[in-house]
Each structure stands twice: as C-alpha cells, then as structure tokens.
Amino acid sequence: MALSTTVSQRKQIKRKAPRGFLKRVFKRQKPQLRLEKSGDLLVRFHPFLGWEWGMEVHLSCLLFVHRLAEESRTNACENKCGVINKEHVLAAAKVILKKSRG
Amino acid sequence: MADHDPDSDSTPRTLLRRVLDTADPRTPRRPRSARAGAQRRALLETASSRRSSSQTKMTTRRHSHGARSISRSAYVQASGHLKEQTPRTLLKNILLTAPESSILMPKSVVKPVPAPQVVQPSRRESSLGSLELQLPELEPPTTLAPGLLAPGRRKQRLRLSMFQQGVDQGLPLSQEPQRNADASSLTSSLNLTFATPLQPQSVQRPGLARRPPARRAVDVGAFLQDLRDTSLAPPNIVLEDTQPFSQPTVGCSPRVYRSPPCMPHTGAEDTELAAGCKKRSSGPGMQTNSPEKLAQFLAGEAEEVDAFALDFLSTSSGVSGEDGVEPLQDGVEEAEKRMEEEGVSVSEMEATGAQGPSRAEEPEGHTEVTEAEESQGTAEAKGPGASSGDEDASDRAARPELVSSTPESLQARRHHQFLEPDPPPGAAVLSSEPAEPLLVRRPPRPGTTGPRPQQDPHKAGLSHYVKFFSFYAKMPMERKALEMVEKCLDKYFQHLCDDLEVFAAHAGRKTVKPEDVELLMRRQGLVTDQVSLHVLVERYLPLEYRQLLIPCASSGNSVFPAQ
C-alpha cells in the first residue's frame, strides 16, 4: 500500500491507512463522485500535486479521532471518573463534530 | 633473596627486580644442579609462601607471573653461560621493555644454556599450572619476543609459541634437546588442546554419531511377482502407494474428473486384465464370473467411489462382512482390498502388490489379493466378497462421510484401473455423488449472509479507528463508549464526504482530489497558518507515509513525490 523509495524493498507497515475502507465508505455515500487515482502525477505546476487523497483523508480521520479522544478524556476527568463513559463520548462528539464541520 | 615485601607492593616485577638486585652475581654454572635446584626450590617456596601470605592482591595471573618470575630468576642464577648476555641482563631488558601489565610470556623462548636442569624448571613451571611452557631462557633474538608475546592471551601464546618454535629452528644445536623437550611439551600441550574437540563428541553424545541408514530387506519374491503382474497388464499404469498419498483426502472432484478417462475402457480389457491378474488361480473363476460381475459392476459402479470411503471410515452401515468394519487405515492396500470386497464386476487387479486395487469379484481371488496385499498392511478380516448389491445401499449411505476421506491418489489409481466402462448413468451417479458430500461437508451458514459482508468490513474499518481512539484516550473505556465512538465516526464520514463533494463541485470537478481534502482540513481548523500540513503528517502518520506526502529532495535534483 505504501510506496517506498526503494522499489525492491517490501515494507511492512504496521499502521496502515485503510484506503479500501475509505474508498468503500465514500462510494457508498456518494456513488456519483469519483476519487482520484493515486500514483504518479505528471502534471506540473500544480500546487498540491503529489498528495494522496486517501492518505490525507486518513490523516483527517486520525485527527478527528484524536480530538474526540482528548475531549472525552477531558470530560471524564472533569467528572472524576476513571473510565470513559458513553456520556463523555457523546458530549465530546457533539463538540468535535461541530468543530470539524467545515 | 627472602625479601619480605609488603603485600601491597609485591608484584612479580618488583620481586624480580629485588631478586636481580640482591641475587648473587656469581652464578654457578656446572654445579648448579644441587645448589641451583635448592635455590630454586627455596625461591619457589618463599615465593609461594609469600604468595599465600599476600592474599588478595595476587591473582592467579600474578601467581603464575610470580612463579615464572621466580623460575626466571632461578634460571638467571642457574644459567647464564654467556657473559655478554646473561639471563640476568636479558631479564633486566625484559623488565625494562615489557609492558607492566602483562608479563605472561609464552615461553617458547629457548634458553641459550642447554642445561637439563633448565628443562626441569621448565617442567616444573608447566606443572605449576600454566599451559604455556615456561621456558626460562631468553635468547638474544627472543628478547623482543617476550614483549611481543606478552600481551597475548593463552591461545595466542600457544600460537606464538608455535611461531617461536619455528623461529627457534635457527637456534644452535645446543638448543635442540631443550627445544625438543619444549616442543614436545608444547606440542603435547597443543595436542591436548587441539585434539580434545574431536574426541568427546562421539563419546559424550552418542546420538550425534552418524549411523548407517537402516534399510529394509527387499522382498524379492513380491517384487518379482509385481513385475510379472505389471508386465501382464501394461496398459494400466499402476501407481504405487507411496506413503504420502496414503492419507485420505477429501477429493471428490478428482474422481469425477478421472471417471471419464476410464470410460473408454471396455469390458474386454477388463477380462484380459482379469486373466492376467495376479490371481491366476482364480483367473478362470474370475473370468467366468466377470461377465456377471461386470453387469453387477455397471449397476453398482458408483460403489467404487464408496469403496474408497468405506476403506477409511469403518461404517457399520450394513457393509457386508467382507468390508468388515475395518479401522480407518491410511494404507492404500486396504482401500484396494475393499474394492475387491465390493465385488466389482471387473476384476481388475492392480499389478503392484502393494496397491493394486484389484477388482477381484471372486471372493477367493479377492481374499488372495487381499492376503497378498495385506502382507504389508494390517491384517484385515476381509470376508469373501459377496454380492455388492447390498453394499450399494450401505455405500450410498456411508458415502457422504467416506467420500470425504478417500485419498486422491487412490481415486486416481482406481480410475486408471477401473477398466469397466463408466456408463453415463454411472457417471451421472458419480457426479451427483460428489455433489452431495460436498454439500454435506460444508456446514450450512444460515442467517447473516446478507448483511454480513456489508457490515463486517465496515465494522472492521471502524474498529481500526476505534483502536486509535482508545489509544489516544489513554484511559479505560466502556464498551458502550466504543460503540458510541463508532457512531460518531460514521457521522464524521458522512460529513466528510459531503464536504468533499461540495469542494469538488466548487472547483468544477467531479473527481475529488487531494486538494479538496486539504481545504477541508484547513476549514476544520486542523491546518492553520501556524500548523502546516506537513507538521501534521509528521506528527500523526507513520514514518512510511511521510515520504508519500512530504516532498523530499534527493540526489540528482529529484524530488519525491514529484511536484
């Protein structure tokens, strides 16, 4: 899945980005849309060339999950609970989803 | 000589120095035997006493050092026929030049004085425990050698001593006796060290010793008979039942595939084969019976298939006594015997004694074959092959289970062997048979077939992120909380897709490109003027992805990924 500079080597990535999963989710949601193919992009002079949409989506998901976790941990600590409860997560989700609405 | 040094100060070197300073400069040469020996012994005793008194500081090395030095001093006293280079002077040189730390000298240095008494001390030296031969004398060319050899370890000392031996070859003949003695001692010591690894291996670990492979005696009689059988039945390619294939396998399909090839065989061939089969005694009987059996066979030809199964699964499904309830055996012979017991019409006898799936309809022939084939295998009570009719029913019943266990190789062989033509109904039966067991074999999975493929990958992907959540939270979580996280993720993905769609449409595209995602991240507030995307990539993504996203310059003016 991940390219490597040295083609001969095969790397085993421990934390892979589930590109297939993301693509499937996207397709289910918006079948009319297309996702850009990853790979070598020969078009130059494009400011954002060289990125992979899948990777970036994965990055955004990670960041979302990270923020969610932080928020729910804060909520749980505020309630002086040692365990993160459903309510903590729910409250955190409200905030974070609002934030990442864009 | 009997200097009592304070324990802390006494090192071999200091002791030696003292000895040299205080020793009698007049070294008696000839009569040294008595006096020198006495002196030496006294020296040693005093040294040893001193050693014992001075406890802690002296290590074993030092002990050897001291011993050697003592011996050396003794030698110095005893020998030294060369005025200009006495051992004493040589020793002094050594003390000056040699490094402080290691005075472990490999003593292959040959003493210029070929005194036999010198040999004795050397013996004593070696007997004192150090492997190195403490050759006391020092030769002029070898004064440097101690310096060279001193830092070496024991092994190196030994090797160097070997080298020294070679060097010493140029010594005058006077040296030889001693050298030889030393060399012998050296070599003996060397031999001791070098020879040991070879010997104990076999003694200590007898299991490691190589044994000649045990070979079974070839049964010439059986072999010849097999040869004869094979020669008589050339068209049949009999596959020997080799061990690996004796395992019953679930191979229904091969049977189906193989049955067509058997079709062309005609009954005539079968009779021929039957005639040439092993049971010559029962040949005529078999031939007479073969026509009837042939019909029988045609009728119950599916039984062959069952036979395989029967062989391996002892079923009490009413199989006649011939099949018996044979324990599940891997031996193909048994399967073949079963075949015979089935009373297949065509008496095809496999040429090979081990496995010929002989289709001996005749019970006698069958038994003969079985007996012959059983020579290797287990003794199975093969009742005379009665009619195979009843077996059909039982076989059919047992087929589903048995089929699964029949070995593929057996099937292949049988299909080769079974000359009887497979009539289309038989083939149809055959094809149907494998289908049933196949269905039977796969436990039906009712229920959640519909939503499962839809749910599972989705859940799997979500769980991927849920794991991240639990990792980032660093706190124990409830299961319900995790489910809630999954719901949140679903919602988030929906939002994500909507936003990407909007952005792509805004850019007049129908394809979502990475820049849309970047814009989204910027709008989310993840990417700010302070925090760039690269920073985020470096923070959160695995290292391998970094090179994908962050352009890096490499040699040759190339940037990866290309920009």
Side-chain angles (χ1 to χ4, degrees), chain B residues 14-92:
Chain B
T14 56
L15 286 169
L16 194 52
R17 284 220 187 84
R18 282 195 206 95
V19 164
L20 284 175
D21 294 339
T22 60
D24 187 1
R26 197 165 34 95
T27 62
R29 266 189 259 157
R30 290 306 153 187
R32 77 184 90 146
S33 56
R35 224 194 320 162
Q39 279 177 356
R40 254 180 266 122
R41 277 182 219 108
L43 259 180
L44 286 166
E45 285 162 8
T46 51
S48 56
S49 64
R50 226 176 289 143
R51 290 292 172 276
S52 58
S53 59
S54 68
Q55 305 101 10
T56 55
K57 297 289 180 175
M58 305 299 262
T59 60
T60 46
R61 218 167 163 212
R62 288 202 176 169
H63 276 279
S64 58
H65 276 302
R68 249 174 270 131
S69 63
I70 295 292
S71 65
R72 233 181 283 127
S73 60
Y75 296 141
V76 167
Q77 293 180 17
S79 61
H81 66 286
L82 299 172
K83 289 295 176 191
E84 55 284 352
Q85 286 174 347
T86 61
R88 186 185 301 252
T89 58
L90 292 170
L91 204 54
K92 275 185 185 153

Side-chain angles (χ1 to χ4, degrees), chain A residues 30 36 48 73 85 101-102, chain B residues 473 478 498 513 518 523:
Chain A
K30 310 278 173 192
E36 182 181 297
F48 295 111
R73 190 154 77 105
N85 270 340
R101 193 164 273 275
Chain B
E478 290 178 358
D498 292 336
K513 293 218 163 159
E518 285 168 29
R523 280 181 65 99

Side-chain angles (χ1 to χ4, degrees), chain B residues 255-394:
Chain B
R255 263 184 280 149
V256 179
Y257 298 143
R258 298 232 166 78
S259 53
C262 297
M263 292 181 118
H265 290 294
T266 61
E269 295 181 20
D270 299 343
T271 54
E272 287 176 2
L273 279 179
C277 73
K278 247 202 255 185
K279 314 315 182 246
R280 271 173 228 89
S281 59
S282 60
M286 287 197 303
Q287 282 176 0
T288 55
N289 294 341
S290 52
E292 344 166 345
K293 297 292 178 147
L294 190 59
Q296 240 184 10
F297 172 77
L298 290 177
E301 84 106 283
E303 293 172 17
E304 305 167 10
V305 174
D306 305 338
F308 302 108
L310 276 176
D311 295 341
F312 300 93
L313 280 186
S314 61
T315 60
S316 57
S317 55
V319 178
S320 62
E322 29 182 81
D323 295 338
V325 178
E326 293 184 355
L328 228 172
Q329 305 272 352
D330 292 349
V332 178
E333 315 123 335
E334 304 156 6
E336 298 164 2
K337 296 166 196 172
R338 302 241 178 218
M339 281 303 305
E340 302 159 4
E341 291 174 353
E342 296 242 17
V344 185
S345 59
V346 180
S347 61
E348 278 185 88
M349 314 277 298
E350 275 197 16
T352 60
Q355 315 225 327
S358 51
R359 303 268 207 115
E361 279 70 30
E362 292 302 303
E364 316 87 333
H366 175 65
T367 49
E368 283 182 22
V369 175
T370 55
E371 283 163 12
E373 292 174 6
E374 276 177 353
S375 61
Q376 304 177 16
T378 62
E380 298 174 359
K382 301 266 178 128
S387 66
S388 56
D390 58 345
E391 296 171 5
D392 292 343
S394 59

Side-chain angles (χ1 to χ4, degrees), chain A residues 3 13 17 24 29-30 32 34 36 48 51 56 58 61 63 66 72-73 84-85 90 93 101-102, chain B residues 457 465 469 472-473 476 478 484 488 493-494 498-499 501 510 512-514 518 523 540 544-545 547 549:
Chain A
L3 305 174
I13 300 214
R24 200 185 307 125
Q29 288 272 325
K30 310 278 173 192
Q32 70 277 10
R34 278 194 248 158
E36 182 181 297
F48 295 111
W51 301 102
E56 299 194 13
H58 178 63
C61 296
L63 289 165
H66 187 73
S72 30
R73 190 154 77 105
I84 292 181
N85 270 340
L90 200 55
R101 193 164 273 275
Chain B
Y465 289 107
F469 183 91
Y472 286 136
E478 290 178 358
M484 179 62 63
C488 298
F493 282 134
Q494 287 175 18
D498 292 336
D499 292 343
E501 184 186 9
K510 289 228 175 115
V512 177
K513 293 218 163 159
E518 285 168 29
R523 280 181 65 99
Y540 293 103
E544 292 85 358
Y545 291 142
Q547 65 196 11
L549 298 174

Side-chain angles (χ1 to χ4, degrees), chain B residues 394-417:
Chain B
S394 59
D395 294 343
R396 299 264 163 97
R399 199 190 313 144
E401 316 155 311
L402 303 176
V403 161
S404 58
S405 56
T406 55
E408 276 190 13
S409 64
L410 191 57
Q411 299 162 14
R413 235 175 305 110
R414 292 188 188 258
H415 286 293
H416 281 296
Q417 291 297 323

Side-chain angles (χ1 to χ4, degrees), chain A residues 5-55:
Chain A
T5 48
T6 60
V7 185
S8 58
Q9 284 177 7
R10 286 204 128 264
K11 277 200 205 171
Q12 294 282 342
I13 300 214
K14 303 262 167 76
R15 290 172 288 161
K16 276 190 175 180
R19 225 190 281 170
F21 168 73
L22 296 174
K23 182 151 187 173
R24 200 185 307 125
V25 167
F26 189 83
K27 279 296 175 187
R28 200 178 305 139
Q29 288 272 325
K30 310 278 173 192
Q32 70 277 10
L33 284 181
R34 278 194 248 158
L35 285 169
E36 182 181 297
K37 241 191 335 179
S38 71
D40 52 344
L41 304 169
L42 301 175
V43 182
R44 307 215 172 220
F45 311 117
H46 203 290
F48 295 111
L49 220 57
W51 301 102
E52 285 196 8
W53 68 267
M55 205 54 54

